Amino acid sequence: MRTITLAAAFTMAATAALAADPIEGVWQTQPDEGSVALVQIVPCGGAYCGTIVKTYKGQQEYQSPNIGKQIVIGMAPSGRDAYAGKVLRPADNKTYNGKAQVSGGSMKLSGCVAGGLICRSQTWTRLK
């Protein structure tokens, strides 16, 4: 009986992990200081990191000095479809405590100060 219970628990945990919305992929940011970026999020250590791979002003791609910057840093799972780590805002070159909530093709990403009392958020769109 114990073997069946453990097997059922592992199956349920694996099913829940597969059903969760992953943070990995290519995401389009909201405009910030007139620019939009494409950020590729991949595993890094036991967490996830995101790097700017393309930037746009309006409809035109341009070579921003921010291409190649890691702006999602050490985002570790912190609950169902939720992640916590650091975020860099290229416009002010400051790193903030960050959190992300993924829901299908969108992700709410927040950077916070004062222990999470003051946060600014963006909603990013999954491209891939």
Side-chain angles (χ1 to χ4, degrees):
M1 183 65 152
R2 181 181 171 114
T3 304
I4 293 171
T5 305
L6 287 175
F10 284 124
T11 301
M12 288 173 51
T15 302
L18 291 174
D21 290 327
I23 195 171
E24 283 183 77
V26 177
W27 297 87
Q28 179 178 311
T29 68
Q30 282 184 231
D32 189 10
E33 302 285 321
S35 298
V36 170
L38 301 187
V39 178
Q40 184 169 24
I41 298 179
V42 298
C44 62
Y48 296 91
C49 297
T51 302
I52 296 175
V53 294
K54 285 188 181 181
T55 52
Y56 294 87
K57 279 192 179 181
Q59 299 297 317
Q60 299 286 66
E61 184 176 348
Y62 83 106
Q63 293 300 308
S64 166
N66 294 318
I67 293 174
K69 272 190 181 178
Q70 188 177 87
I71 64 170
V72 175
I73 305 158
M75 275 293 172
S78 64
R80 184 167 172 80
D81 306 325
Y83 300 84
K86 302 279 185 185
V87 293
L88 170 73
R89 182 174 181 234
D92 63 11
N93 205 36
K94 290 185 180 177
T95 303
Y96 300 91
N97 290 323
K99 55 187 175 180
Q101 183 71 42
V102 179
S103 179
S106 68
M107 173 173 53
K108 182 178 179 184
L109 185 73
S110 302
C112 304
V113 295
L117 294 175
I118 302 169
C119 298
R120 294 186 76 184
S121 299
Q122 283 195 349
T123 300
W124 292 7
T125 304
R126 182 191 305 275
L127 299 180
K128 296 183 193 176

Coordinates of all heavy atoms in Angstrom, one line a residue, residues 1 21 31 35 50 59 64-65 85 87 89 104 113 118 123 128:
M1 N 0.8 -1.2 0.0 CA 0.0 0.0 0.0 C 0.9 1.2 0.0 O 0.6 2.2 -0.7 CB -0.9 0.0 1.2 CG -1.9 1.1 1.3 SD -3.0 1.1 -0.1 CE -4.4 1.9 0.6
D21 N 2.9 26.8 -15.9 CA 3.4 27.7 -17.0 C 4.9 28.0 -16.8 O 5.3 28.5 -15.8 CB 2.6 29.0 -17.0 CG 1.1 28.7 -17.5 OD1 0.9 27.8 -18.3 OD2 0.3 29.5 -17.0
P31 N 7.1 48.8 -23.6 CA 8.0 49.9 -23.8 C 8.5 50.5 -22.5 O 7.7 50.7 -21.6 CB 7.1 50.9 -24.6 CG 6.0 50.1 -25.2 CD 5.8 49.0 -24.2
S35 N 11.7 52.2 -25.8 CA 12.2 51.0 -26.4 C 11.5 49.7 -25.9 O 11.0 49.7 -24.8 CB 13.7 50.8 -26.1 OG 14.4 51.9 -26.6
G50 N 17.5 35.9 -17.7 CA 17.0 36.4 -19.0 C 17.9 37.5 -19.6 O 18.3 38.4 -18.8
Q59 N 8.8 50.4 -34.7 CA 8.8 49.1 -35.4 C 10.2 48.8 -35.9 O 10.4 47.7 -36.5 CB 7.8 49.2 -36.7 CG 6.4 49.5 -36.3 CD 5.8 48.4 -35.5 OE1 6.0 47.2 -35.7 NE2 5.1 48.7 -34.4
S64 N 20.9 48.5 -29.6 CA 21.0 49.2 -28.3 C 22.2 48.7 -27.6 O 22.6 47.5 -27.7 CB 19.7 48.8 -27.4 OG 20.0 49.1 -26.1
P65 N 22.8 49.5 -26.7 CA 24.0 49.1 -25.9 C 23.5 48.0 -24.9 O 24.4 47.4 -24.2 CB 24.5 50.3 -25.3 CG 23.4 51.3 -25.4 CD 22.5 50.9 -26.6
G85 N 13.6 36.6 -7.7 CA 15.0 36.8 -7.9 C 15.3 38.3 -8.0 O 14.9 39.1 -7.2
V87 N 15.9 41.8 -10.8 CA 15.7 42.3 -12.2 C 16.5 43.6 -12.3 O 16.6 44.4 -11.4 CB 14.2 42.6 -12.5 CG1 13.4 41.3 -12.6 CG2 13.6 43.6 -11.5
R89 N 16.9 47.1 -14.5 CA 16.2 48.0 -15.3 C 17.3 48.8 -16.1 O 17.9 49.6 -15.5 CB 15.3 49.0 -14.6 CG 14.5 49.9 -15.5 CD 13.6 50.8 -14.8 NE 12.9 51.6 -15.7 CZ 12.8 53.0 -15.6 NH1 13.3 53.6 -14.6 NH2 12.2 53.6 -16.6
G104 N 0.1 31.5 -18.9 CA 0.0 31.3 -20.3 C 1.0 32.1 -21.1 O 2.2 31.9 -20.9
V113 N 11.4 47.7 -4.2 CA 12.3 48.3 -3.2 C 11.5 48.3 -1.9 O 10.3 48.1 -1.8 CB 12.8 49.7 -3.6 CG1 13.7 49.6 -4.8 CG2 11.7 50.7 -3.7
I118 N 7.2 48.9 -2.4 CA 7.0 49.8 -3.6 C 7.5 49.0 -4.8 O 8.7 48.6 -4.8 CB 7.9 51.1 -3.5 CG1 7.4 51.9 -2.2 CG2 7.8 51.9 -4.7 CD1 8.3 53.0 -1.9
T123 N 4.0 43.9 -17.9 CA 3.5 42.6 -18.4 C 4.1 42.3 -19.7 O 4.1 43.1 -20.7 CB 1.9 42.7 -18.6 OG1 1.3 43.0 -17.3 CG2 1.4 41.4 -19.1
K128 N 8.0 32.9 -27.9 CA 8.3 31.5 -28.2 C 8.4 30.7 -26.9 O 8.7 31.2 -25.9 CB 9.7 31.4 -28.8 CG 9.9 32.1 -30.2 CD 11.3 31.8 -30.7 CE 11.6 32.6 -31.9 NZ 13.0 32.5 -32.3

